[in-house]
Short mmCIF file of all heavy atoms in Angstrom, two decimals:
data_model
loop_
_atom_site.label_atom_id
_atom_site.label_comp_id
_atom_site.label_asym_id
_atom_site.label_seq_id
_atom_site.Cartn_x
_atom_site.Cartn_y
_atom_site.Cartn_z
N MET A 16 223.33 156.67 -3.64
CA MET A 16 223.89 157.84 -4.29
C MET A 16 222.93 159.00 -4.43
O MET A 16 221.76 158.80 -4.45
CB MET A 16 224.19 157.31 -5.66
CG MET A 16 225.21 156.22 -5.72
SD MET A 16 225.82 155.92 -7.40
CE MET A 16 226.89 154.59 -7.09
N GLY A 17 223.38 160.17 -4.40
CA GLY A 17 222.61 161.29 -4.46
C GLY A 17 222.52 161.92 -5.79
O GLY A 17 222.75 161.25 -6.87
N TRP A 18 222.19 163.15 -5.86
CA TRP A 18 221.94 163.78 -7.04
C TRP A 18 223.15 163.94 -7.91
O TRP A 18 223.60 163.35 -8.28
CB TRP A 18 221.59 165.20 -6.74
CG TRP A 18 221.29 166.08 -7.94
CD1 TRP A 18 220.10 165.91 -8.68
CD2 TRP A 18 222.05 166.94 -8.63
NE1 TRP A 18 220.22 166.71 -9.73
CE2 TRP A 18 221.34 167.34 -9.68
CE3 TRP A 18 223.28 167.51 -8.38
CZ2 TRP A 18 221.87 168.33 -10.56
CZ3 TRP A 18 223.77 168.40 -9.21
CH2 TRP A 18 223.04 168.83 -10.27
N PRO A 19 223.72 163.97 -8.85
CA PRO A 19 223.35 163.78 -10.21
C PRO A 19 223.27 162.41 -10.69
O PRO A 19 223.04 162.06 -11.81
CB PRO A 19 224.50 164.56 -10.94
CG PRO A 19 225.68 164.42 -9.99
CD PRO A 19 225.07 164.33 -8.65
N PHE A 20 223.48 161.45 -9.78
CA PHE A 20 223.55 160.01 -10.15
C PHE A 20 222.13 159.37 -9.95
O PHE A 20 221.90 158.25 -10.45
CB PHE A 20 224.62 159.25 -9.47
CG PHE A 20 225.95 159.91 -9.69
CD1 PHE A 20 226.60 160.63 -8.63
CD2 PHE A 20 226.58 159.80 -10.91
CE1 PHE A 20 227.78 161.23 -8.87
CE2 PHE A 20 227.84 160.45 -11.15
CZ PHE A 20 228.37 161.17 -10.08
N GLY A 21 221.41 159.72 -9.04
CA GLY A 21 220.07 159.10 -8.68
C GLY A 21 218.97 160.17 -8.60
O GLY A 21 219.15 161.38 -8.88
N GLU A 22 217.83 159.60 -8.14
CA GLU A 22 216.66 160.52 -7.94
C GLU A 22 216.88 161.32 -6.72
O GLU A 22 217.38 161.00 -5.74
CB GLU A 22 215.44 159.72 -7.84
CG GLU A 22 215.01 159.05 -9.05
CD GLU A 22 213.57 158.36 -9.04
OE1 GLU A 22 212.89 158.82 -8.08
OE2 GLU A 22 213.37 157.47 -9.84
N SER A 23 216.34 162.57 -6.80
CA SER A 23 216.38 163.44 -5.66
C SER A 23 215.18 163.24 -4.74
O SER A 23 214.01 163.03 -5.28
CB SER A 23 216.45 164.86 -6.16
OG SER A 23 216.32 165.78 -5.06
N SER A 24 215.43 163.16 -3.52
CA SER A 24 214.32 162.98 -2.54
C SER A 24 213.52 164.18 -2.23
O SER A 24 212.54 164.19 -1.64
CB SER A 24 214.86 162.36 -1.31
OG SER A 24 215.70 163.28 -0.70
N SER A 25 213.94 165.35 -2.78
CA SER A 25 213.20 166.59 -2.50
C SER A 25 212.15 166.89 -3.60
O SER A 25 211.57 167.94 -3.55
CB SER A 25 214.27 167.70 -2.43
OG SER A 25 214.95 167.93 -3.71
N VAL A 26 212.02 166.13 -4.63
CA VAL A 26 211.05 166.30 -5.67
C VAL A 26 209.65 166.02 -5.19
O VAL A 26 209.40 164.89 -4.69
CB VAL A 26 211.38 165.51 -6.89
CG1 VAL A 26 210.23 165.67 -7.88
CG2 VAL A 26 212.72 166.02 -7.49
N ALA A 27 208.75 166.90 -5.08
CA ALA A 27 207.40 166.68 -4.59
C ALA A 27 206.57 166.09 -5.78
O ALA A 27 206.56 166.72 -6.85
CB ALA A 27 206.82 168.01 -4.11
N LYS A 28 205.75 165.17 -5.47
CA LYS A 28 204.81 164.60 -6.56
C LYS A 28 203.55 165.56 -6.46
O LYS A 28 202.98 165.83 -5.47
CB LYS A 28 204.47 163.27 -6.15
CG LYS A 28 205.63 162.33 -6.26
CD LYS A 28 205.31 160.84 -5.94
CE LYS A 28 206.51 159.95 -6.09
NZ LYS A 28 206.27 158.62 -5.82
N SER A 29 203.20 166.04 -7.67
CA SER A 29 202.06 166.95 -7.80
C SER A 29 200.70 166.18 -7.76
O SER A 29 200.64 165.02 -8.33
CB SER A 29 202.12 167.75 -9.03
OG SER A 29 202.06 166.94 -10.16
N GLU A 30 199.77 166.71 -6.98
CA GLU A 30 198.39 166.10 -6.99
C GLU A 30 197.57 166.91 -7.99
O GLU A 30 197.76 168.01 -8.24
CB GLU A 30 197.87 166.32 -5.60
CG GLU A 30 198.59 165.46 -4.54
CD GLU A 30 197.98 165.67 -3.19
OE1 GLU A 30 196.89 166.26 -3.00
OE2 GLU A 30 198.59 165.16 -2.17
N PRO A 31 196.55 166.27 -8.40
CA PRO A 31 195.64 166.97 -9.34
C PRO A 31 194.89 168.08 -8.57
O PRO A 31 194.60 167.97 -7.39
CB PRO A 31 194.61 165.84 -9.85
CG PRO A 31 194.76 164.83 -8.91
CD PRO A 31 196.10 164.83 -8.23
N PRO A 32 194.60 169.22 -9.32
CA PRO A 32 194.04 170.35 -8.56
C PRO A 32 192.61 170.08 -8.23
O PRO A 32 191.85 169.29 -8.84
CB PRO A 32 194.04 171.45 -9.60
CG PRO A 32 194.17 170.77 -10.89
CD PRO A 32 194.89 169.51 -10.67
N LYS A 33 192.19 170.61 -7.00
CA LYS A 33 190.78 170.43 -6.54
C LYS A 33 189.88 171.40 -7.29
O LYS A 33 190.28 172.49 -7.54
CB LYS A 33 190.71 170.80 -5.12
CG LYS A 33 191.45 169.91 -4.18
CD LYS A 33 190.80 168.65 -4.02
CE LYS A 33 191.57 167.74 -3.01
NZ LYS A 33 190.79 166.51 -2.70
N VAL A 34 188.77 170.83 -7.87
CA VAL A 34 187.89 171.69 -8.60
C VAL A 34 186.80 172.18 -7.74
O VAL A 34 186.23 171.44 -6.94
CB VAL A 34 187.26 170.76 -9.85
CG1 VAL A 34 186.29 171.59 -10.61
CG2 VAL A 34 188.40 170.26 -10.61
N THR A 35 186.47 173.46 -7.85
CA THR A 35 185.49 174.08 -7.10
C THR A 35 184.41 174.75 -7.96
O THR A 35 184.75 175.11 -9.25
CB THR A 35 185.94 175.22 -6.13
OG1 THR A 35 186.61 176.24 -6.86
CG2 THR A 35 187.01 174.53 -5.12
N GLU A 36 183.30 174.91 -7.44
CA GLU A 36 182.26 175.65 -8.29
C GLU A 36 181.55 176.67 -7.26
O GLU A 36 181.60 176.56 -6.03
CB GLU A 36 181.12 174.70 -8.66
CG GLU A 36 181.54 173.85 -9.83
CD GLU A 36 180.38 172.98 -10.35
OE1 GLU A 36 179.77 172.28 -9.49
OE2 GLU A 36 179.98 173.15 -11.50
N MET A 37 180.93 177.72 -7.83
CA MET A 37 180.40 178.78 -7.05
C MET A 37 178.92 178.44 -6.87
O MET A 37 178.18 178.13 -7.79
CB MET A 37 180.47 180.06 -7.70
CG MET A 37 179.96 181.17 -7.05
SD MET A 37 180.01 182.81 -7.94
CE MET A 37 178.67 182.63 -9.04
N CYS A 38 178.40 178.61 -5.62
CA CYS A 38 177.02 178.48 -5.21
C CYS A 38 176.31 179.65 -5.78
O CYS A 38 176.75 180.96 -5.70
CB CYS A 38 176.77 178.41 -3.81
SG CYS A 38 175.13 178.54 -3.23
N ASP A 39 175.28 179.54 -6.52
CA ASP A 39 174.53 180.65 -7.15
C ASP A 39 173.66 181.48 -6.17
O ASP A 39 173.31 182.58 -6.48
CB ASP A 39 173.56 180.05 -8.25
CG ASP A 39 174.33 179.61 -9.44
OD1 ASP A 39 175.43 180.11 -9.74
OD2 ASP A 39 173.76 178.70 -10.15
N VAL A 40 173.45 180.87 -4.96
CA VAL A 40 172.76 181.67 -3.94
C VAL A 40 173.59 182.50 -3.08
O VAL A 40 173.38 183.65 -3.00
CB VAL A 40 171.89 180.67 -3.10
CG1 VAL A 40 171.04 181.33 -2.02
CG2 VAL A 40 171.00 179.73 -3.88
N CYS A 41 174.61 181.92 -2.51
CA CYS A 41 175.53 182.74 -1.65
C CYS A 41 176.84 183.25 -2.21
O CYS A 41 177.65 183.98 -1.60
CB CYS A 41 175.91 181.92 -0.41
SG CYS A 41 176.87 180.52 -0.60
N CYS A 42 177.11 182.79 -3.55
CA CYS A 42 178.29 183.11 -4.30
C CYS A 42 179.59 182.79 -3.62
O CYS A 42 180.58 183.37 -3.80
CB CYS A 42 178.30 184.59 -4.49
SG CYS A 42 176.87 185.19 -5.54
N LYS A 43 179.64 181.68 -2.83
CA LYS A 43 180.91 181.15 -2.23
C LYS A 43 181.26 179.78 -2.99
O LYS A 43 180.55 179.25 -3.58
CB LYS A 43 180.72 180.89 -0.80
CG LYS A 43 180.43 182.01 0.01
CD LYS A 43 180.25 181.64 1.57
CE LYS A 43 180.05 182.88 2.37
NZ LYS A 43 179.73 182.48 3.79
N ASN A 44 182.61 179.65 -3.04
CA ASN A 44 183.14 178.51 -3.77
C ASN A 44 183.18 177.30 -2.79
O ASN A 44 183.58 177.29 -1.68
CB ASN A 44 184.56 178.74 -4.25
CG ASN A 44 184.56 179.70 -5.34
OD1 ASN A 44 183.61 179.82 -6.16
ND2 ASN A 44 185.61 180.38 -5.55
N TYR A 45 182.73 176.10 -3.44
CA TYR A 45 182.68 174.83 -2.67
C TYR A 45 183.28 173.76 -3.60
O TYR A 45 183.23 173.96 -4.88
CB TYR A 45 181.37 174.51 -2.16
CG TYR A 45 180.78 175.39 -1.09
CD1 TYR A 45 179.94 176.47 -1.41
CD2 TYR A 45 181.04 175.11 0.19
CE1 TYR A 45 179.55 177.23 -0.43
CE2 TYR A 45 180.56 176.01 1.24
CZ TYR A 45 179.82 177.04 0.90
OH TYR A 45 179.33 177.84 1.88
N PHE A 46 183.68 172.68 -3.04
CA PHE A 46 184.16 171.66 -3.86
C PHE A 46 183.03 171.06 -4.66
O PHE A 46 181.91 170.99 -4.20
CB PHE A 46 184.83 170.49 -3.05
CG PHE A 46 186.11 170.98 -2.46
CD1 PHE A 46 186.29 170.91 -1.06
CD2 PHE A 46 187.19 171.32 -3.31
CE1 PHE A 46 187.54 171.30 -0.53
CE2 PHE A 46 188.43 171.65 -2.67
CZ PHE A 46 188.59 171.63 -1.21
N THR A 47 183.25 170.59 -5.84
CA THR A 47 182.33 170.02 -6.77
C THR A 47 181.46 168.95 -6.19
O THR A 47 180.22 168.87 -6.46
CB THR A 47 182.91 169.60 -8.06
OG1 THR A 47 183.68 170.63 -8.61
CG2 THR A 47 181.80 169.26 -9.12
N GLU A 48 181.97 168.20 -5.28
CA GLU A 48 181.24 167.14 -4.72
C GLU A 48 180.12 167.65 -3.80
O GLU A 48 179.07 166.96 -3.53
CB GLU A 48 182.11 166.16 -3.84
CG GLU A 48 183.30 165.66 -4.59
CD GLU A 48 184.49 166.48 -4.53
OE1 GLU A 48 184.76 167.17 -3.51
OE2 GLU A 48 185.21 166.48 -5.53
N ASN A 49 180.21 168.84 -3.35
CA ASN A 49 179.33 169.39 -2.27
C ASN A 49 178.15 170.25 -3.02
O ASN A 49 177.32 170.62 -2.31
CB ASN A 49 180.00 170.20 -1.22
CG ASN A 49 181.00 169.36 -0.47
OD1 ASN A 49 180.83 168.18 -0.27
ND2 ASN A 49 182.01 170.05 0.07
N ILE A 50 178.32 170.46 -4.22
CA ILE A 50 177.35 171.34 -4.94
C ILE A 50 176.23 170.42 -5.46
O ILE A 50 176.45 169.45 -6.24
CB ILE A 50 178.04 172.13 -6.05
CG1 ILE A 50 179.03 173.02 -5.47
CG2 ILE A 50 176.96 172.82 -6.95
CD1 ILE A 50 178.51 174.26 -4.79
N GLN A 51 174.94 170.78 -5.26
CA GLN A 51 173.78 170.06 -5.82
C GLN A 51 173.27 170.99 -6.89
O GLN A 51 173.30 172.24 -6.79
CB GLN A 51 172.81 169.75 -4.80
CG GLN A 51 172.17 170.89 -4.07
CD GLN A 51 171.10 170.54 -3.15
OE1 GLN A 51 170.52 169.46 -3.28
NE2 GLN A 51 170.81 171.30 -2.22
N ARG A 52 172.57 170.42 -7.96
CA ARG A 52 171.99 171.15 -8.96
C ARG A 52 170.43 170.98 -8.92
O ARG A 52 170.02 169.80 -8.73
CB ARG A 52 172.54 170.66 -10.27
CG ARG A 52 173.90 171.19 -10.57
CD ARG A 52 174.44 170.54 -11.90
NE ARG A 52 175.63 171.19 -12.35
CZ ARG A 52 176.86 171.20 -11.73
NH1 ARG A 52 176.90 170.75 -10.55
NH2 ARG A 52 177.80 171.80 -12.28
N VAL A 53 169.72 172.11 -8.91
CA VAL A 53 168.37 172.13 -8.82
C VAL A 53 167.86 172.76 -10.15
O VAL A 53 168.27 173.81 -10.58
CB VAL A 53 167.86 172.93 -7.62
CG1 VAL A 53 166.36 172.98 -7.52
CG2 VAL A 53 168.49 172.48 -6.35
N VAL A 54 166.82 171.99 -10.78
CA VAL A 54 166.21 172.52 -11.99
C VAL A 54 165.03 173.37 -11.62
O VAL A 54 164.11 172.86 -10.86
CB VAL A 54 165.98 171.41 -13.01
CG1 VAL A 54 165.29 171.89 -14.19
CG2 VAL A 54 167.19 170.60 -13.32
N TYR A 55 164.86 174.51 -12.32
CA TYR A 55 163.71 175.37 -12.14
C TYR A 55 163.26 175.89 -13.41
O TYR A 55 164.01 176.32 -14.19
CB TYR A 55 164.22 176.54 -11.21
CG TYR A 55 163.11 177.62 -11.10
CD1 TYR A 55 162.03 177.46 -10.25
CD2 TYR A 55 163.32 178.89 -11.77
CE1 TYR A 55 161.10 178.39 -10.11
CE2 TYR A 55 162.29 179.82 -11.65
CZ TYR A 55 161.18 179.56 -10.84
OH TYR A 55 160.27 180.58 -10.74
N PHE A 56 161.98 175.74 -13.57
CA PHE A 56 161.20 176.39 -14.69
C PHE A 56 160.42 177.55 -14.39
O PHE A 56 159.60 177.46 -13.42
CB PHE A 56 160.25 175.33 -15.28
CG PHE A 56 160.98 174.12 -16.01
CD1 PHE A 56 161.11 172.89 -15.25
CD2 PHE A 56 161.41 174.17 -17.36
CE1 PHE A 56 161.83 171.83 -15.83
CE2 PHE A 56 162.12 173.14 -17.81
CZ PHE A 56 162.29 171.99 -17.17
N SER A 57 160.73 178.62 -15.09
CA SER A 57 159.90 179.96 -14.82
C SER A 57 158.62 179.88 -15.41
O SER A 57 158.23 178.89 -16.07
CB SER A 57 160.84 181.12 -15.45
OG SER A 57 160.76 181.09 -16.68
N LYS A 58 157.82 180.92 -15.22
CA LYS A 58 156.50 180.99 -15.77
C LYS A 58 156.56 181.03 -17.24
O LYS A 58 155.54 180.61 -17.95
CB LYS A 58 155.79 182.12 -15.11
CG LYS A 58 155.47 182.04 -13.66
CD LYS A 58 154.84 183.36 -13.20
CE LYS A 58 154.66 183.30 -11.67
NZ LYS A 58 154.07 184.57 -11.20
N THR A 59 157.51 181.60 -17.78
CA THR A 59 157.57 181.65 -19.22
C THR A 59 158.12 180.37 -19.93
O THR A 59 158.25 180.36 -21.10
CB THR A 59 158.48 182.81 -19.67
OG1 THR A 59 159.80 182.67 -19.17
CG2 THR A 59 157.94 184.14 -19.19
N GLY A 60 158.57 179.44 -19.09
CA GLY A 60 159.13 178.28 -19.61
C GLY A 60 160.62 178.20 -19.71
O GLY A 60 161.16 177.20 -20.30
N THR A 61 161.20 179.15 -19.23
CA THR A 61 162.78 179.09 -19.21
C THR A 61 163.27 178.15 -18.21
O THR A 61 162.82 178.19 -17.07
CB THR A 61 163.33 180.50 -18.93
OG1 THR A 61 162.68 181.44 -19.86
CG2 THR A 61 164.77 180.56 -18.98
N ARG A 62 164.21 177.36 -18.62
CA ARG A 62 164.80 176.36 -17.65
C ARG A 62 165.99 176.93 -17.11
O ARG A 62 167.03 177.31 -17.80
CB ARG A 62 165.05 175.11 -18.49
CG ARG A 62 165.66 173.92 -17.57
CD ARG A 62 165.89 172.75 -18.47
NE ARG A 62 166.48 171.63 -17.78
CZ ARG A 62 167.85 171.37 -17.86
NH1 ARG A 62 168.59 171.87 -18.66
NH2 ARG A 62 168.27 170.27 -17.03
N TYR A 63 166.13 176.94 -15.73
CA TYR A 63 167.25 177.29 -15.03
C TYR A 63 167.90 176.12 -14.29
O TYR A 63 167.13 175.40 -13.65
CB TYR A 63 166.97 178.43 -14.06
CG TYR A 63 166.54 179.73 -14.70
CD1 TYR A 63 165.11 180.07 -14.75
CD2 TYR A 63 167.40 180.67 -15.03
CE1 TYR A 63 164.72 181.24 -15.31
CE2 TYR A 63 167.08 181.87 -15.63
CZ TYR A 63 165.65 182.14 -15.74
OH TYR A 63 165.32 183.25 -16.30
N VAL A 64 169.20 176.01 -14.20
CA VAL A 64 169.82 175.04 -13.44
C VAL A 64 170.65 175.82 -12.38
O VAL A 64 171.56 176.59 -12.62
CB VAL A 64 170.80 174.14 -14.26
CG1 VAL A 64 171.55 173.16 -13.28
CG2 VAL A 64 170.05 173.34 -15.32
N ILE A 65 170.17 175.71 -11.10
CA ILE A 65 170.76 176.48 -10.03
C ILE A 65 171.74 175.53 -9.27
O ILE A 65 171.43 174.54 -8.81
CB ILE A 65 169.62 176.87 -9.05
CG1 ILE A 65 168.66 177.72 -9.82
CG2 ILE A 65 170.24 177.70 -7.86
CD1 ILE A 65 167.36 178.08 -9.09
N ARG A 66 173.00 176.05 -9.15
CA ARG A 66 173.95 175.39 -8.37
C ARG A 66 173.89 175.87 -6.91
O ARG A 66 173.93 177.11 -6.63
CB ARG A 66 175.36 175.69 -8.82
CG ARG A 66 175.65 175.27 -10.26
CD ARG A 66 176.93 175.69 -10.74
NE ARG A 66 176.84 177.13 -10.95
CZ ARG A 66 177.84 177.84 -11.31
NH1 ARG A 66 178.87 177.32 -11.83
NH2 ARG A 66 177.72 179.18 -11.43
N CYS A 67 173.64 174.88 -5.90
CA CYS A 67 173.30 175.31 -4.58
C CYS A 67 174.26 174.56 -3.63
O CYS A 67 174.35 173.21 -3.83
CB CYS A 67 171.95 175.07 -4.28
SG CYS A 67 171.40 175.62 -2.70
N CYS A 68 174.93 175.14 -2.63
CA CYS A 68 175.69 174.51 -1.68
C CYS A 68 174.79 173.92 -0.64
O CYS A 68 173.57 174.17 -0.51
CB CYS A 68 176.66 175.55 -0.99
SG CYS A 68 175.92 176.71 0.04
N PRO A 69 175.24 173.03 0.26
CA PRO A 69 174.48 172.35 1.29
C PRO A 69 173.80 173.29 2.35
O PRO A 69 172.89 173.00 3.06
CB PRO A 69 175.32 171.34 1.95
CG PRO A 69 176.67 171.33 1.23
CD PRO A 69 176.65 172.44 0.28
N PHE A 70 174.44 174.49 2.42
CA PHE A 70 174.01 175.52 3.49
C PHE A 70 172.92 176.47 3.05
O PHE A 70 172.43 177.19 3.86
CB PHE A 70 175.25 176.25 3.97
CG PHE A 70 176.34 175.39 4.35
CD1 PHE A 70 177.52 175.39 3.66
CD2 PHE A 70 176.17 174.63 5.58
CE1 PHE A 70 178.55 174.45 4.03
CE2 PHE A 70 177.26 173.75 5.94
CZ PHE A 70 178.38 173.70 5.19
N CYS A 71 172.58 176.50 1.71
CA CYS A 71 171.65 177.45 1.15
C CYS A 71 170.39 176.81 0.70
O CYS A 71 170.38 175.60 0.49
CB CYS A 71 172.26 178.27 -0.09
SG CYS A 71 173.60 179.36 0.44
N ASN A 72 169.43 177.59 0.61
CA ASN A 72 168.08 177.15 0.18
C ASN A 72 167.85 177.69 -1.29
O ASN A 72 167.84 178.89 -1.47
CB ASN A 72 167.05 177.67 1.07
CG ASN A 72 165.62 177.12 0.76
OD1 ASN A 72 165.50 176.32 -0.18
ND2 ASN A 72 164.62 177.56 1.43
N PRO A 73 167.67 176.85 -2.26
CA PRO A 73 167.60 177.40 -3.59
C PRO A 73 166.29 178.18 -3.84
O PRO A 73 166.21 178.90 -4.80
CB PRO A 73 167.51 176.09 -4.52
CG PRO A 73 167.21 175.02 -3.57
CD PRO A 73 167.73 175.42 -2.28
N GLU A 74 165.32 178.10 -2.98
CA GLU A 74 164.04 178.84 -3.19
C GLU A 74 164.30 180.30 -2.97
O GLU A 74 163.54 181.12 -3.50
CB GLU A 74 163.02 178.35 -2.19
CG GLU A 74 162.51 176.92 -2.45
CD GLU A 74 161.48 176.41 -1.46
OE1 GLU A 74 161.06 177.25 -0.61
OE2 GLU A 74 161.16 175.30 -1.66
N THR A 75 165.39 180.68 -2.30
CA THR A 75 165.64 182.11 -2.14
C THR A 75 166.04 182.79 -3.49
O THR A 75 165.60 183.96 -3.70
CB THR A 75 166.82 182.52 -1.08
OG1 THR A 75 167.91 181.70 -1.60
CG2 THR A 75 166.37 181.86 0.26
N LEU A 76 166.68 182.03 -4.42
CA LEU A 76 166.93 182.52 -5.67
C LEU A 76 165.72 182.35 -6.64
O LEU A 76 165.62 183.35 -7.54
CB LEU A 76 168.24 181.75 -6.21
CG LEU A 76 168.79 182.21 -7.53
CD1 LEU A 76 169.34 183.72 -7.38
CD2 LEU A 76 169.91 181.36 -7.99
N THR A 77 165.02 181.37 -6.55
CA THR A 77 163.86 181.18 -7.38
C THR A 77 162.86 182.35 -7.19
O THR A 77 162.11 182.65 -8.07
CB THR A 77 163.23 179.92 -7.18
OG1 THR A 77 162.77 179.68 -5.95
CG2 THR A 77 164.10 178.79 -7.60
N LYS A 78 162.72 182.84 -5.98
CA LYS A 78 161.81 183.96 -5.76
C LYS A 78 162.26 185.23 -6.54
O LYS A 78 161.39 185.97 -6.94
CB LYS A 78 161.79 184.29 -4.24
CG LYS A 78 161.08 183.31 -3.43
CD LYS A 78 161.19 183.68 -1.91
CE LYS A 78 160.57 182.45 -1.07
NZ LYS A 78 160.74 182.75 0.28
N LEU A 79 163.50 185.38 -6.72
CA LEU A 79 164.06 186.55 -7.53
C LEU A 79 163.90 186.34 -8.99
O LEU A 79 163.81 187.33 -9.78
CB LEU A 79 165.54 186.79 -7.25
CG LEU A 79 165.86 187.19 -5.78
CD1 LEU A 79 167.34 187.15 -5.64
CD2 LEU A 79 165.21 188.52 -5.38
N LEU A 80 163.79 185.09 -9.41
CA LEU A 80 163.56 184.80 -10.86
C LEU A 80 162.09 185.01 -11.36
O LEU A 80 161.96 185.13 -12.50
CB LEU A 80 164.05 183.40 -11.25
CG LEU A 80 165.58 183.19 -10.99
CD1 LEU A 80 165.92 181.64 -11.17
CD2 LEU A 80 166.40 183.99 -11.90
N ASN A 81 161.21 185.06 -10.56
CA ASN A 81 159.86 185.24 -10.91
C ASN A 81 159.51 186.60 -11.34
O ASN A 81 159.96 187.61 -11.16
CB ASN A 81 158.83 184.80 -9.76
CG ASN A 81 158.77 183.26 -9.74
OD1 ASN A 81 159.08 182.56 -10.69
ND2 ASN A 81 158.50 182.86 -8.53
#
């Protein structure tokens, strides 16, 4: 039996949305699984958590923070 008596086969099941984060070095979005977090302490003692993609080097950003 079809629609109004049974379920419609054209109903798409929704998937949970993919979560992305921005790399602080190159400013591109990547999936959360691919982002690593690097902790950096400045000379004044300020703690920074840098989100970095697998393609970037977090030291390029830490040079700017000094």
Side-chain angles (χ1 to χ4, degrees):
M16 299 194 180
W18 183 78
F20 304 107
E22 289 186 22
S23 175
S24 61
S25 65
V26 174
K28 295 181 181 179
S29 63
E30 295 181 11
K33 297 283 185 172
V34 178
T35 60
E36 287 185 300
M37 183 183 75
C38 173
D39 291 328
V40 180
C41 67
C42 299
K43 293 182 182 178
N44 286 331
Y45 292 95
F46 292 120
T47 305
E48 303 89 37
N49 298 335
I50 296 288
Q51 63 177 337
R52 285 173 166 64
V53 179
V54 178
Y55 170 73
F56 289 96
S57 68
K58 294 177 183 176
T59 60
T61 306
R62 179 179 180 253
Y63 294 97
V64 178
I65 301 170
R66 297 172 296 183
C67 186
C68 71
F70 306 109
C71 292
N72 185 2
E74 292 180 6
T75 56
L76 187 61
T77 58
K78 290 177 185 175
L79 296 173
L80 293 173
N81 285 332

